Structures are given as C-alpha cells and as structure tokens.
Amino acid sequence: MATETLMLPTPEQLKEIYQDLGMTEEKIDADMQTIMGWMRKQPHLPNPDGDERRIRLFLILCKNSLERTKESLDQYYTLKSMVPEFFGDRDPISPPLLRSMKTSLFIPLPKLSSEGYRVSLSRIRTPEVDNFEFADYVKVNFMSIDIRLSKLDMFKKEIFIFDLKDITMSLLTSMLPHMKKFVYCATTAYPLRIQEIHIVNMPSYAQTMVNMVLSVLKKKIANRIKIHTSLEDLKKNISADILPLDYGGTFPKTSEELIVDWQEELIKHREWFLSQNSVNCDENKRTKKPCVKVNMLTGIEGSFRKLEVD
C-alpha cells in the first residue's frame, strides 16, 4: 500500500510495528474512540471528528499510552494557537511559502527503511538566498509533518538528515535567534519517535547552531546525533535504496525531483490546510494550565551542550 509520494509499511512491517508496541488494530480502534471521547469533554480542544487518522498515529507514536497521547494532542493544539508564526496562515500557494519551497526543502523520502522508519531530508537549495524567512521555512516543515500524520503516512520511527552545505554565515545569523523555539515546538507539538539525526556537509561555523539545538533536545535524542564527514559515511547508516541519487543513493530520483513531487502533494491538500488554520485551542475555555514551557517560546536561553565531530 502506498500514496503517490510515500511508500507505506508492508503488512509484515505493520504487524511488527503493532507487535513491538503490544497493539492490535482492534485495540487502536477502541483507544482512538476513548481519546475522541476525552477530547469532546475538553472545552478548550477542537472537535476531533474527522481527525481519526492523526489520533491513531499519535497513539502509535506514543506507544499506545492514553495519557501520553492526551498530553501530546493538547500540546499540539496549544502550540498551534500560541505560535502563529510557525503554525498559522498555512496556504501552500501563498507567495511566501512558495518562495520558501523554492529556496529550501524538507521532504520525507518515499521509501521506508526495513525497520519501518521514515527518513526525512532538509537542506537549503541554494546559497544565494535573498530575504530568507526562517519562520516560513519552519511553517513548511510543520505542514509536511502535519499532512503526513493526518493524511498520508504510517511509520514506526523517524530519521532526519540535515544537509548544511549551503548554510551561509548570513543565513545562520538569521536563524539562530529562532532556533530554540523551533526545536522546542518541533519536539513538543509532535510525538515523533526519533531514531537518529544525521548531519552532513557541516561547516565549522555551524557548530554554534548545533550546540544550541543540543541545549534544547532531551539528552537521549541529543546522543543520537551523528555528524558525517562524507556521504559515504552517511550510507553506512542509511541504506542506499532510500537515499536519492544526488546523495549517492539508488532511489531513482534526485532530491530536486522529490521536492517537486512533495510540493505538488502539499498543494493538492490546500483545502485541508486552509480548513486546519482555525483548528486550535481556545485558551479562554481552558480549565487547567497548559503543559508547554512558555519560557521556551519567549527566547529565554539555557546552558549549551557541545557535540564534537568524531
């Protein structure tokens, strides 16, 4: 089974995912109904009707923990309402977002790993970027994750590849003030089970950005970051049949071709994105304190951990 852009788990892979988490289709269906019933009783949360697929995948990513799933859904809708620069006005054909997709990419690679892991690739497409807006880059990233979780994807864990080849000093300077908020939102709004994070083509001046990311990540995720000195080294960790041709892989498309496919996928779901713009928390109706760290959204800095290249 597959979508036009993503290959989904085989029946055998899906069975392994369920077995690994002690789940069955029947239990997921029952727990999904429980979560939907809970959401209807939360005055600040949106109506869950029509959002069954997202709830289902949140359950899987939260290892079928009802309490963790409730917390994750609350965090997701809370951040949508609290951080409009990352989550609001998401129209894939708006000029700012089209420009962002022209200058950068964040795409899920079509083929799953043998373990059922989805690999996503992020990079700047050209070093000659004028008026680069980091918030628009983040917005497209989150749109990609949202449409996968809500409509298109099924996977066990996530692997990220960040190619920093065309991160110039000026781009880095524009990104750094927003980096902690971005990482916090990405890891709090979505319950992604991150297996690995790979960094390739990292210039020495990007160490500051990596250290800032490490300061926000949980230690167990920070320990899964690997910095590679070459694409050959990357292929020791990720199978060549998953990687696009321009990354030394054997998947029969380049990353430039894949971003065109993915952009078409986002535009195809334009009406869904527009309908989701108003699906947020109503903080005026909340009866309990939100479970997000407001200080992480206001730029308060913490201590940095440092990761050195082996």
Side-chain angles (χ1 to χ4, degrees):
M1 184 179 179
T3 67
E4 292 183 12
T5 51
L6 299 176
M7 302 177 188
L8 300 183
T10 63
E12 293 75 20
Q13 285 177 318
L14 198 56
K15 184 178 179 180
E16 288 179 9
I17 291 173
Y18 289 157
Q19 287 179 342
D20 181 50
L21 300 174
M23 306 165 89
T24 63
E25 286 276 3
E26 294 74 21
K27 180 166 176 52
I28 293 175
D29 288 340
D31 288 346
M32 181 179 67
Q33 293 302 322
T34 298
I35 294 293
M36 293 178 71
W38 169 81
M39 287 184 67
R40 293 188 185 101
K41 295 177 182 177
Q42 308 306 308
H44 64 291
L45 291 181
N47 188 321
D49 293 343
D51 210 13
E52 290 86 352
R53 185 175 178 123
R54 187 205 306 272
I55 295 170
R56 195 178 173 84
L57 197 44
F58 266 55
L59 273 164
I60 290 173
L61 295 173
C62 292
K63 301 181 183 180
N64 208 38
S65 165
L66 290 177
E67 291 309 309
R68 177 71 184 104
T69 303
K70 291 176 184 178
E71 180 182 336
S72 291
L73 287 165
D74 191 281
Q75 289 174 165
Y76 169 73
Y77 289 113
T78 299
L79 287 171
K80 273 194 75 181
S81 64
M82 291 181 70
V83 193
E85 66 268 35
F86 289 170
F87 293 96
D89 298 325
R90 298 191 295 180
D91 183 349
I93 66 169
S94 67
L97 298 192
L98 286 176
R99 182 176 65 241
S100 181
M101 286 185 269
K102 204 171 185 179
T103 58
S104 62
L105 63 79
F106 177 79
I107 52 174
L109 300 183
K111 188 171 182 178
L112 287 169
S113 74
S114 58
E115 301 90 351
Y117 302 159
R118 178 68 66 197
V119 180
S120 293
L121 170 66
S122 176
R123 68 173 172 84
I124 300 297
R125 296 177 73 183
T126 171
E128 306 302 326
V129 179
D130 294 324
N131 302 317
F132 176 80
E133 291 291 340
F134 184 65
D136 291 334
Y137 164 77
V138 174
K139 190 177 291 190
V140 174
N141 287 7
F142 289 172
M143 288 170 65
S144 294
I145 295 174
D146 272 333
I147 198 65
R148 286 174 51 210
L149 296 185
S150 300
K151 293 286 184 182
L152 302 177
D153 210 355
M154 175 64 73
F155 58 99
K156 184 176 181 179
K157 293 184 181 182
E158 191 90 35
I159 294 175
F160 293 109
I161 302 172
F162 292 96
D163 183 351
L164 306 186
K165 177 183 177 182
D166 289 319
I167 292 284
T168 63
M169 183 63 82
S170 60
L171 276 178
L172 187 64
T173 301
S174 71
M175 295 165 68
L176 281 177
H178 315 286
M179 188 59 61
K180 293 189 78 170
K181 181 187 284 192
F182 162 53
V183 176
Y184 177 74
C185 288
T187 55
T188 303
Y190 305 104
L192 300 177
R193 299 175 63 197
I194 300 175
Q195 178 68 16
E196 295 168 346
I197 298 173
H198 299 276
I199 299 176
V200 297
N201 298 319
M202 188 180 91
S204 59
Y205 52 78
Q207 184 72 57
T208 301
M209 180 176 68
V210 174
N211 292 342
M212 183 175 285
V213 170
L214 286 167
S215 73
V216 183
L217 289 176
K218 293 179 180 179
K219 186 175 181 180
K220 69 175 183 179
I221 298 178
N223 290 338
R224 295 173 185 171
I225 294 179
K226 301 179 181 180
I227 299 178
H228 300 281
T229 55
S230 68
L231 293 179
E232 287 301 315
D233 190 42
L234 176 67
K235 287 195 290 183
K236 295 176 183 176
N237 294 264
I238 298 176
S239 177
D241 62 343
I242 294 174
L243 293 171
L245 294 172
D246 51 328
Y247 282 80
T250 58
F251 188 83
K253 285 192 175 184
T254 66
S255 63
E256 286 296 315
E257 291 173 309
L258 291 174
I259 184 56
V260 172
D261 293 344
W262 189 245
Q263 182 174 336
E264 290 176 356
E265 190 74 77
L266 296 180
I267 293 172
K268 185 170 70 176
H269 288 89
R270 179 176 183 247
E271 292 304 317
W272 181 83
F273 282 117
L274 295 178
S275 72
Q276 289 291 302
N277 281 335
S278 59
V279 181
N280 296 312
C281 270
D282 185 342
E283 295 297 333
N284 294 322
K285 296 181 179 179
R286 184 186 290 276
T287 58
K288 295 181 180 180
K289 186 178 178 181
C291 49
V292 299
K293 297 178 181 178
V294 176
N295 65 309
M296 295 304 296
L297 304 179
T298 55
I300 295 177
E301 301 295 337
S303 60
F304 287 176
R305 287 195 296 270
K306 191 173 182 182
L307 181 73
E308 301 292 352
V309 182
D310 292 335

